[in-house]
Amino acid sequence: MKIGYYPGCSLHATAREFDQSLKAICVPLGVELKEIDNWSCCGATSAHATNHLLAVSLAARNLALAEAQGLASILAPCAACYSRLATARHEIGGDAALASKVKGIIERPAFGNSVKVQSIAEVLRDLEGTIKEKAVKPLKGLKVACYYGCLLVRPQAVTGFDDVEAPSSMETAVRAAGGEPVEWRMKLECCGGGFSMSRTASVLRLGRAIIDDARAAGAHAIAVACPMCHSNLDFRQGAMARGDGASEMPILFVTQVVGLGLGISPEALGLKKHFVDTAPVMHQIASVATEAAKAEEVA
């Protein structure tokens, strides 16, 4: 399967392990990524709050490039990038006047707005069968809280690939890799990403509530599909601590969770690049495998 690839700014910088783990799992899953030539920033997260027309045009330029390069669909792993590109496609498709203005701004009069934008959750869900088939090290016993945040499945008119109130695409991917998704209450709540610098105290409060709920649900790790959510929940976790002795919660990109199930090494998935130590995840997987082996010997 060949699909266009829009990495966005974060996957080439602060979230390189997202890019690294995505490319690592694409090999066994038979996915060929074609990065859009000459792509540019989509304007996430603040451009749309400054100038709507130019914000749509920023995203549309990348859609036009993908279209001109013969790509029928593109994967935007970052939830914020996905939201901006999918929103631009939706708005241009429903407003002829806006479409005309955008074509003039990006200087591409032939732009037909034909490229489908897909999220990582959607792509992995659709690869469920392949993930199951290729999972050589199923993550039995690893309980994962799948965190969607604000943008991945909202709004319904723009995304449309999952239920906006009870999404399940990430759980499908985790389950296919052998993991055990947990039921919890905070998977659609905001982590405060847009206020990371301006209202840090609020971000800490929101992040603490997310982590506390995942822990209460019995999760060993939280899986995310957004670099900003990952940064907030991983980097700021030390500041969230209340001094109650609670252990830190590893925050993994969903591609890393799938990669572990596919038998890819932690190093190849970038798991040692996080602030919160991910070793407990490896220990949990290993301990369950050891217990299973002992039980088999007894039997």
Side-chain angles (χ1 to χ4, degrees):
M1 180 178 79
K2 182 177 180 179
I3 187 171
Y5 179 39
Y6 179 80
C9 306
S10 292
L11 273 79
H12 277 194
T14 56
R16 289 179 182 175
E17 63 269 39
F18 198 1
D19 174 79
Q20 182 180 342
S21 57
L22 170 63
K23 289 176 178 176
I25 68 172
C26 280
V27 176
L29 294 180
V31 176
E32 179 186 351
L33 296 177
K34 175 62 175 73
E35 188 167 322
I36 301 170
D37 294 333
N38 198 31
W39 64 265
S40 56
C41 178
C42 67
T45 58
S46 58
H48 58 287
T50 304
N51 185 306
H52 177 258
L53 177 59
L54 293 183
V56 173
S57 299
L58 273 172
R61 177 185 181 274
N62 294 293
L63 296 176
L65 287 173
E67 184 178 272
Q69 291 164 29
L71 300 171
S73 63
I74 58 173
L75 165 62
C78 168
C81 294
Y82 166 69
S83 177
R84 296 318 311 158
L85 293 170
T87 296
R89 182 174 191 261
H90 175 75
E91 293 193 3
I92 292 169
D95 188 334
L98 175 64
S100 179
K101 291 178 182 178
V102 167
K103 288 179 183 179
I105 291 171
I106 64 176
E107 298 182 339
R108 290 183 176 272
F111 173 46
N113 195 33
S114 64
V115 177
K116 180 182 179 181
V117 184
Q118 293 182 281
S119 74
I120 186 64
E122 179 181 9
V123 169
L124 290 179
R125 179 202 63 192
D126 292 347
L127 287 168
E128 176 188 10
T130 307
I131 295 172
K132 283 183 178 178
E133 178 187 344
K134 300 293 184 177
V136 297
K137 193 176 181 181
L139 309 178
K140 187 175 180 181
L142 182 67
K143 297 181 179 180
V144 181
C146 296
Y147 179 64
Y148 293 81
C150 305
L151 299 173
L152 198 58
V153 297
R154 296 167 172 158
Q156 179 72 40
V158 171
T159 61
F161 72 89
D162 209 337
D163 190 311
V164 296
E165 296 296 336
S168 61
S169 49
M170 287 176 68
E171 283 87 349
T172 297
V174 168
R175 197 174 288 111
E180 299 179 19
V182 301
E183 291 292 332
W184 65 313
R185 300 173 300 172
M186 302 294 286
K187 67 180 180 178
L188 287 164
E189 297 302 316
C190 180
C191 72
F195 298 100
S196 187
M197 300 299 292
S198 61
R199 298 187 63 178
T200 306
S202 296
V203 171
L204 295 178
R205 174 178 55 81
L206 291 166
R208 187 183 298 117
I210 291 166
I211 291 169
D212 284 351
D213 192 62
R215 185 180 291 114
H220 299 115
I222 295 176
V224 303
C226 174
M228 186 169 289
C229 293
H230 187 275
S231 179
N232 269 344
L233 297 175
D234 182 49
F235 171 67
R236 297 191 182 281
Q237 204 164 141
M240 296 174 193
R242 292 172 170 165
D244 57 4
S247 60
E248 291 183 311
M249 175 68 69
I251 313 297
L252 278 58
F253 288 107
V254 65
T255 45
Q256 293 175 318
V257 177
V258 170
L260 288 172
L262 295 175
I264 301 172
S265 72
E267 291 79 9
L269 295 170
L271 281 167
K272 296 190 176 182
K273 295 180 179 180
H274 297 194
F275 287 93
V276 173
D277 189 7
T278 59
V281 173
M282 309 306 122
H283 293 157
Q284 174 62 27
I285 296 170
S287 65
V288 172
T290 301
E291 289 302 316
K294 288 180 180 178
E296 196 170 298
E297 285 178 8
V298 172

